[in-house]
Amino acid sequence: MPFEPIITGNVGVPNAWEIDVYESRGGYRALAKALREHQPEELVDLVSKSGLRGRGGAGFPAGRKWSLIPKGAPEVYMVCNADESEPGSFSNHELLDWDPHSLIEGVIIGSYAIRARVAFIYMRGEFWKPTGQRMEAAIAQAYARGYLGRDILGTGYNLDLHLFIGAGAYVCGEETALLESIEGNRPMPRPRPPYFPPSIGLYGKPTAVNNVETLANVPHIVLNGAEWYTRLGNPPRNPGTKVFSLSGLIKRPGNYEAPLGITLRELLFGYGGGMLDGRTFKAVTPGGTSTPLLTAEHLDVRMDYDSLPAVGTYLGSTGLIVMDDTVCIPCAVYHMSKFYQHESCGKCTPCREGTSWINAILYRITHGQGREEDMPLLLDLSDNMGGRKTVCALGDFAGFPVTSSIKYFRQEYEYHIRYGRCPTSCQPAEERQWTISQP
Amino acid sequence: MSDGLRLSAKTRAEIERLTTVYPVRRSALLPGLRLAQREIGWLPREAMDEVAEIVGVDPNACYALATFYDLFYREPVGKYVIGVCEGLACHLGGSGRVLGWLKERLGIGPGETTADGLFTVRTFECLAACDRAPCALVNDEYVGPLDEARLDELLRELRSHPNWSRVSGVGGRGSGASIPDPQYPTPDPRHSTTDTRHPAPGEGRS
């Protein structure tokens, strides 16, 4: 099927981040149409009808999220989550580098749909050169052209847009932690109930928090209609496209926009060019390391919000880190566990303690000191961190790579525990001293 | 007089302005700390106290943020902070080798600073540039994929160009751009983070 990229259409276009280039390619036409021809409620309906689902990972219908904002609330906020920190995901990063205006346009339309007067783009702290700089410049350009500020395009609608830059914390990608961060507090997630952002969000006011890619889709839906969108991808429940980030041991790492519902095989071996020469595929993180692994037996699974849960994993933020037959799975999972141990915010005991325990146990397994009881202990710990025992899902995330790798690669753990070394020669000892430190 | 621990009048004024930009004054705290670190290079207690005073909160609020976020330094760091990404993709791509080369060349491991104060080596969790693995964030600049030759070139460049990237640690105001400001820095195309390996339209699509 011939495939026209939708949201990455401007990636690679020289100076795509300049407003003149963006406008010359049809930019801000959707904004004019939305503000002049539609009432806010009509836009919420339009996005609901399109079936667009939140691209941050959970796949919550974007239109429904907007419709949860109480009508007539005096103070409402729109927040764009650009804190892309999931290991393996780098699609927002590239999109923001090249096409900041498409996000700004989406943010303005979304803000209008929920009648917000102030919007924020929350970008992770590491994205400054050139990502943050380009976004700042793009916002200034949008103000200068009358797309932001007072009386936008003469319609009487006012909107202020702030770029808010974080300072390095994975947990800020969690929507309530992100709001805490903007409020100047330690970014620890809030319990839900009662702190559902559409009811009690930023500064205690109703707030819509949407992912970059979700909002970047909105102008295209406004221009082409909901009907058009529902025919893309894997309708009816998974319409549209997704930007998949391929990395790890694969021939052509990079971002690829593809229809939702594409098979894992086509993604890895078509778009990604397949494995490195002489290697065979072993495992992949379908949605960043925070999703259970997939293996060679899953190559024909369709990548969308409903097909992946059927095989026990999630689409997440579509960061596919590819591991081939040279990779020792316990060592790779040890690396993932370091991340969660470092990024757990410490609010909930199961996650704060559990991530450290898992890290320490994986350390001893991968260092020739594994014990017979370690595998049941890892499974027990993962079980005690997951399943809504913590305020946010970080505890679940930390357990996913552990439980799924034990499910599919139990023999590698057994080998490590029995013989005290890797079943594959995954890493030379002289490197190991730098990458593996005593927890 | 500046003792290197306090904020200049200009930075104080910028933070002061930030307190009026956001709907709630306290939202200026995180951007204020970023500004403080941009000026001083790290966050001495004196500077945090000043930020707290300008924003009008207890100094503890500043310490709470400075101890949480990865990009805030509570001790002096080298002029160039080489942050090697240790995410899984970079690990598979050889971030361990990069740290080994740095140890050979600079004599320091993660968390250490060279005696001449020029380099600090640290690690990052995933930097969201996995297609450039193994990558690193050097002050504000993304570099990668790194091999031995490119790392040597980078170190040579850092040593020979004293103003390669003046800002240590966190760059940027991260401020509300709602008040258009003619002083926005122009992005330097030489530092485009986009890898040339990104496929042309059509390429790589089956």
Side-chain angles (χ1 to χ4, degrees):
Chain A
M1 185 176 88
F3 173 68
E4 193 69 28
I6 298 168
I7 60 171
T8 56
N10 287 338
V11 173
V13 174
N15 295 314
W17 53 87
E18 295 293 343
I19 197 163
D20 288 330
V21 178
Y22 183 67
E23 282 183 340
S24 74
R25 298 177 59 81
Y28 289 112
R29 276 195 305 140
L31 176 67
K33 185 177 176 192
L35 263 56
R36 292 193 176 128
E37 297 174 20
H38 292 286
Q39 291 300 310
E41 290 71 25
E42 293 170 15
L43 291 169
V44 177
D45 278 348
L46 181 77
V47 172
S48 297
K49 285 203 188 94
S50 76
L52 173 65
R53 296 173 71 168
R55 297 297 194 241
F60 193 81
R64 180 137 42 104
K65 194 181 249 186
W66 290 355
S67 70
L68 293 172
I69 303 282
K71 305 274 175 304
E75 206 181 327
V76 171
Y77 294 100
M78 162 61 70
V79 176
C80 171
N81 184 345
D83 187 68
E84 182 174 58
S85 316
E86 176 62 34
S89 299
F90 49 96
S91 56
N92 294 355
H93 192 180
E94 187 168 39
L95 200 62
L96 292 164
D97 271 356
W98 284 94
D99 206 5
H101 284 289
S102 75
L103 176 63
I104 294 171
E105 188 173 8
V107 168
I108 304 169
I109 297 171
S111 303
Y112 174 70
I114 62 166
R115 299 175 187 270
R117 297 296 161 94
V118 179
F120 284 85
I121 294 173
Y122 186 98
M123 195 181 273
R124 72 179 281 189
E126 291 86 347
F127 292 174
W128 174 245
K129 273 188 180 176
T131 324
Q133 293 177 328
R134 285 182 187 168
M135 182 58 78
E136 268 200 351
I139 290 174
Q141 289 173 343
Y143 268 100
R145 296 270 163 108
Y147 299 132
L148 283 168
R150 298 193 65 76
D151 192 21
I152 296 171
L153 298 174
T155 60
Y157 177 59
N158 305 330
L159 180 71
D160 274 322
L161 174 58
H162 299 288
L163 174 62
F164 198 95
I165 298 189
Y170 171 68
V171 76
C172 287
E174 199 282 335
E175 57 180 5
T176 57
L178 187 155
L179 300 178
E180 288 284 349
S181 180
I182 296 179
E183 290 181 20
N185 301 322
R186 248 169 113 87
M188 291 174 161
R190 301 167 176 172
R192 279 149 297 184
Y195 295 103
F196 292 105
S199 322
I200 311 174
L202 187 62
Y203 309 124
K205 302 292 188 286
T207 303
V209 185
N210 289 115
N211 173 265
V212 170
E213 217 179 305
T214 314
L215 290 168
N217 270 298
V218 169
H220 299 281
I221 294 172
V222 169
L223 278 181
N224 300 309
E227 168 70 12
W228 162 81
Y229 200 77
T230 56
R231 287 197 300 268
L232 304 167
N234 191 13
R237 287 184 47 80
N238 291 278
T241 63
K242 181 82 190 71
V243 188
F244 294 90
S245 305
L246 304 187
S247 67
L249 301 172
I250 191 165
K251 264 203 183 130
R252 287 202 298 263
N255 287 312
Y256 301 94
E257 185 175 357
L260 275 174
I262 186 177
T263 64
L264 180 59
R265 187 187 303 279
E266 200 183 342
L267 205 51
L268 297 185
F269 291 88
Y271 287 62
M275 300 301 111
L276 304 178
D277 291 333
R279 311 266 187 98
T280 53
F281 172 65
K282 187 172 193 177
V284 67
T285 62
T289 62
S290 302
T291 53
L293 300 174
L294 291 178
T295 64
E297 64 180 285
H298 302 111
L299 278 171
D300 292 310
V301 71
R302 301 185 71 162
M303 301 290 290
D304 64 44
Y305 293 102
D306 299 306
S307 306
L308 285 173
V311 293
T313 187
Y314 303 96
L315 190 63
S317 45
T318 57
L320 292 94
I321 306 178
V322 179
M323 289 165 267
D324 63 24
D325 55 338
T326 63
V327 176
C328 164
I329 295 290
C331 289
V333 176
Y334 167 72
H335 269 270
M336 301 185 207
S337 79
K338 266 203 321 191
F339 174 81
Y340 297 102
Q341 191 256 338
H342 182 256
E343 299 294 347
S344 175
C345 79
K347 180 169 184 158
C348 310
T349 311
C351 174
R352 181 184 64 239
E353 296 298 317
T355 49
S356 298
W357 274 58
I358 286 181
N359 186 238
I361 294 166
L362 284 167
Y363 174 85
R364 73 181 181 227
I365 290 178
T366 51
H367 281 71
Q369 298 148 20
R371 304 171 191 164
E372 282 298 322
E373 71 269 22
D374 279 349
M375 258 195 296
L377 190 54
L378 284 173
L379 292 173
D380 191 34
L381 280 164
S382 305
D383 184 48
N384 277 310
M385 289 156 63
R388 301 182 60 88
K389 295 187 186 72
T390 50
V391 167
C392 81
L394 202 146
D396 295 84
F397 294 167
F400 285 151
V402 176
T403 51
S404 63
S405 63
I406 291 180
K407 181 173 161 197
Y408 299 123
F409 301 100
R410 174 175 281 272
Q411 68 286 0
E412 296 199 12
Y413 283 92
E414 284 167 350
Y415 189 98
H416 250 296
I417 291 170
R418 185 165 308 153
Y419 299 107
R421 57 191 156 84
C422 299
T424 60
S425 54
C426 75
Q427 202 182 20
E430 68 271 16
E431 253 178 61
R432 183 171 272 266
Q433 61 173 315
W434 297 113
T435 55
I436 299 192
S437 49
Q438 177 83 46
Chain B
M1 274 304 286
S2 170
D3 53 7
L5 300 176
R6 273 165 240 279
L7 303 176
S8 66
K10 181 168 170 282
T11 299
R12 286 184 65 97
E14 264 190 273
I15 299 172
E16 192 73 63
R17 187 187 75 87
L18 281 179
T19 62
T20 63
V21 161
Y22 301 110
V24 169
R25 204 177 161 86
R26 191 186 167 107
S27 285
L29 207 51
L30 176 56
L33 287 172
R34 288 179 61 102
L35 285 174
Q37 178 159 301
R38 187 181 69 173
E39 174 164 21
I40 298 171
W42 60 291
L43 287 178
R45 187 163 170 169
E46 291 83 347
M48 287 195 274
D49 290 348
E50 271 187 276
V51 174
E53 180 218 315
I54 297 168
V55 179
V57 296
D58 189 88
N60 269 318
C62 279
Y63 313 151
L65 298 196
T67 52
F68 194 97
Y69 291 103
D70 254 16
L71 290 174
F72 287 140
Y73 300 119
R74 284 171 296 134
E75 281 165 15
V77 289
K79 185 174 175 190
Y80 301 118
V81 179
I82 304 176
V84 179
C85 180
E86 274 259 72
L88 180 63
C90 285
H91 165 67
L92 296 173
S95 58
R97 283 196 296 275
V98 176
L99 287 167
W101 295 327
L102 284 168
K103 175 76 178 176
E104 275 170 32
R105 284 154 180 76
L106 305 176
I108 54 173
E112 295 173 344
T113 301
T114 52
D116 59 5
L118 204 53
F119 297 106
T120 295
V121 172
R122 63 165 293 179
T123 57
F124 275 112
E125 294 301 339
C126 188
L127 286 169
C130 316
D131 52 343
R132 282 169 270 166
C135 70
L137 190 63
V138 181
N139 289 0
D140 299 332
E141 309 277 353
Y142 273 87
V143 292
L146 284 170
D147 55 23
E148 201 163 3
R150 286 178 87 155
L151 184 71
D152 280 334
E153 193 190 327
L154 173 74
L155 292 177
R156 216 170 23 247
E157 205 184 319
L158 293 177
R159 285 201 167 99
S160 59
H161 294 83
N163 291 319
W164 184 78
S165 173
R166 203 174 47 77
V167 179
S168 200
V170 189
R173 315 183 308 170
S175 69
S178 55
I179 300 169
D181 182 336
Q183 291 174 354
Y184 286 124
T186 317
D188 185 344
R190 282 176 309 155
H191 299 310
S192 163
T193 69
T194 300
D195 186 21
T196 48
R197 288 176 308 154
H198 186 83
E203 187 200 333
R205 297 196 164 105
S206 52

